[in-house]
Amino acid sequence: AKVVPPFIYELFPVLKEMQQRRGGDLSGGQQQQLAIGRALASQPRLLILDEPTEGIQPSVIKEIGVVIKKLAERGDMAILLVEQFYDFAAELADQYLVMSRGEIVQQGRGEAMAADGVRGLVAI
């Protein structure tokens, strides 16, 4: 068995509690945390998160948001977050791009998302 870097368990304490379980036996939220932990284990310079909130319960969405903030504050990797859940993205984004049918239709600074009317652009 591979040794899990300790910082992974610091970011996701639930994975330490569940370390004897197989990945397929974890809840959806725990599987999402495991997937992010696996990606972080190689200490990438770019972390791409494709809709990490999809199908996840609100408490775990908050936990994942806290982890993304911690990773961003470390400053040793770029994080590309692809997300339809406006509130989650708005809380985390330094910069944003809105795409529609493969085209960038708007972009700006994360703190300006509300003023720029992004919520209306991403409403389904």
Side-chain angles (χ1 to χ4, degrees), residues 36-52:
I36 296 169
R38 283 179 174 151
L40 291 171
S42 66
Q43 303 196 318
R45 295 209 325 251
L46 170 63
L47 178 66
I48 300 174
L49 299 169
D50 186 9
E51 300 201 31

Side-chain angles (χ1 to χ4, degrees), residues 16-88:
K16 185 151 184 77
E17 294 166 30
M18 303 289 177
Q19 63 184 317
Q20 299 308 319
R21 291 201 193 171
R22 291 180 28 236
D25 296 335
L26 301 175
S27 73
Q30 292 163 347
Q31 286 184 23
Q32 187 67 282
Q33 292 174 77
L34 178 61
I36 296 169
R38 283 179 174 151
L40 291 171
S42 66
Q43 303 196 318
R45 295 209 325 251
L46 170 63
L47 178 66
I48 300 174
L49 299 169
D50 186 9
E51 300 201 31
T53 66
E54 191 172 12
I56 306 295
Q57 61 269 33
S59 62
V60 178
I61 290 174
K62 276 197 176 74
E63 288 173 28
I64 291 173
V66 167
V67 167
I68 293 170
K69 269 195 174 128
K70 281 183 187 169
L71 294 171
E73 286 166 6
R74 279 188 355 194
D76 60 352
M77 77 179 77
I79 302 170
L80 174 61
L81 173 67
V82 179
E83 186 56 71
Q84 291 186 43
F85 179 22
Y86 173 86
D87 291 331
F88 186 77

Side-chain angles (χ1 to χ4, degrees), residues 7-16 33 36-37 40 64 67:
F7 78 92
I8 303 289
Y9 288 142
E10 288 166 23
L11 291 170
F12 298 111
V14 71
L15 296 181
K16 185 151 184 77
Q33 292 174 77
I36 296 169
L40 291 171
I64 291 173
V67 167

